[in-house]
Amino acid sequence: MDDVIIIGGSFAGLAAALQLGRARRKVTVLDTGLPRNRFAGHSHGLLGHDHKPPLDILAEARQQLARYPTIRLVSSRADSVSGAIDDFHVLTSDGESLKARRLILSYGIADQMPDVPGFAESWGTSIVPCPYCDGFEVAGQHWGLVWSGQQSHNQARLFHDWTDRLTLFADGHDIAPDIRADLARRNLPVVEGRIAGIAQHGDHSSIVRLDTGADVAVDILFAHPRNKPSASLHESLGLATVDTPSGIALKVDERRETSMPGIYAAGDLANPGMPSVTTASWQGAMAGIFAQQSMLV
């Protein structure tokens, strides 16, 4: 029996495994090899790894984990989870039956691309979600922001630290008069109409095509499509969730423990509003540490 099975081997899952391996706990990490940021050419803001391709960072992390004899990395999907604290059962897509005292869920989320021609093809290059991840590289250029709700007002103000040229695309949303007044005061133009298509030019520049017949060129487009957990294991376990502006997230306490004793969660799955490898890494490390501490006798 493992001490911990970690389901999801991207930044959060591997960070959890590192802490547990250093505590000499027996760990199995199950991973499908499809991290959320695989569409990005580079990862930014991660200390010591700034501007490296995210898949290269993960490959290096796996190599480093190889020095810990109690960690086993398995390229497989968790098909089902059952049991309770100290006696969890996991069945993998390879037919392997595993047991563990604790579980860490770090299988992340999947972005739900809108039905707009060119959007999915541009995701991660000319359409991005996070200014902390990509803003520095395009600072001072013409940014676009697809309106998605109240949070977009805060983002429009936040973006001022990177650029003075920002165009907002209403995309069919009703923007409250007081917010429109504030945007006008900040000299932030709002383009009406729904987005009908995206034409990418190079790594960043996009042409936003509107159903009004107008085209608007921007150097980078920020958007925040809804997302959902990339697996449904939490549903079969009956874990409590919270509905955020971005999507569903697992509810965790200050120790990263979910509503079921012995199951912990980290990364975008438990915090979709802050899509950051830095956030995922520290949450994963904390989940690993708290899981280890919960097994002390």
Side-chain angles (χ1 to χ4, degrees):
M1 174 181 282
D2 286 317
D3 289 309
V4 182
I5 293 174
I6 300 172
I7 302 176
S10 188
F11 290 92
L14 296 182
L18 177 60
Q19 300 304 319
L20 289 160
R22 292 187 59 79
R24 303 193 301 173
R25 291 289 185 170
K26 187 179 178 183
V27 183
T28 293
V29 181
L30 301 176
D31 184 47
T32 61
L34 297 172
R36 184 189 183 194
N37 64 352
R38 64 189 182 277
F39 303 103
H42 298 87
S43 182
H44 300 118
L46 181 62
L47 187 64
H49 296 286
D50 189 45
H51 203 65
K52 286 185 180 180
L55 295 181
D56 289 357
I57 300 174
L58 291 173
E60 183 179 347
R62 293 189 187 97
Q63 291 175 358
Q64 293 174 356
L65 291 180
R67 68 186 288 253
Y68 297 98
T70 59
I71 299 176
R72 185 169 72 111
L73 303 178
V74 179
S75 298
S76 185
R77 182 183 66 249
D79 278 350
S80 66
V81 177
S82 59
I85 189 169
D86 288 324
D87 189 29
F88 289 109
H89 300 255
V90 177
L91 181 64
T92 76
S93 56
D94 293 331
E96 187 176 5
S97 181
L98 305 174
K99 293 183 180 181
R101 297 180 60 192
R102 302 290 186 272
L103 296 178
I104 295 177
L105 305 182
S106 52
Y107 48 78
I109 58 178
D111 295 295
Q112 304 300 289
M113 299 293 105
D115 188 19
V116 173
F119 192 102
E121 294 79 2
S122 302
W123 185 245
T125 53
S126 60
I127 304 178
V128 296
C130 173
Y132 296 102
C133 303
D134 296 290
F136 181 84
E137 284 66 32
V138 289
Q141 298 183 34
H142 184 188
W143 290 18
L145 172 62
V146 181
W147 197 268
S148 59
Q150 175 63 41
Q151 66 273 16
S152 296
H153 187 203
N154 295 328
Q155 291 155 359
R157 293 181 291 177
L158 176 69
F159 287 2
H160 182 72
D161 278 355
W162 285 274
T163 187
D164 292 325
R165 294 188 292 162
L166 174 63
T167 296
L168 304 173
F169 295 90
D171 196 28
H173 287 88
D174 291 326
I175 303 176
D178 60 324
I179 294 179
R180 284 185 178 272
D182 181 70
L183 295 174
R185 181 178 63 83
R186 299 173 186 274
N187 295 316
L188 298 178
V190 177
V191 176
E192 304 297 340
R194 288 192 174 274
I195 296 176
I198 304 290
Q200 181 176 343
H201 291 271
D203 289 339
H204 291 302
S205 179
S206 289
I207 302 295
V208 180
R209 292 173 174 160
L210 303 166
D211 62 0
T212 59
D215 290 348
V216 180
V218 294
D219 293 312
I220 191 77
L221 183 64
F222 284 81
H224 302 87
R226 294 277 294 180
N227 50 59
K228 67 177 183 178
S230 62
S232 58
L233 298 175
H234 59 285
E235 295 178 357
S236 63
L237 290 165
L239 301 183
T241 61
V242 293
D243 193 7
T244 77
S246 300
I248 297 295
L250 294 193
K251 185 177 182 180
V252 296
D253 63 15
E254 67 279 0
R255 295 174 63 85
R256 311 304 306 172
E257 192 168 24
T258 68
S259 58
M260 179 177 287
I263 301 182
Y264 299 78
D268 291 349
L269 180 63
N271 187 27
M274 287 292 289
S276 160
V277 294
T278 301
T279 301
S281 297
W282 77 254
Q283 287 185 356
M286 290 297 98
I289 289 171
F290 289 132
Q292 179 244 342
Q293 292 179 355
S294 75
M295 294 182 285
L296 298 179
V297 295

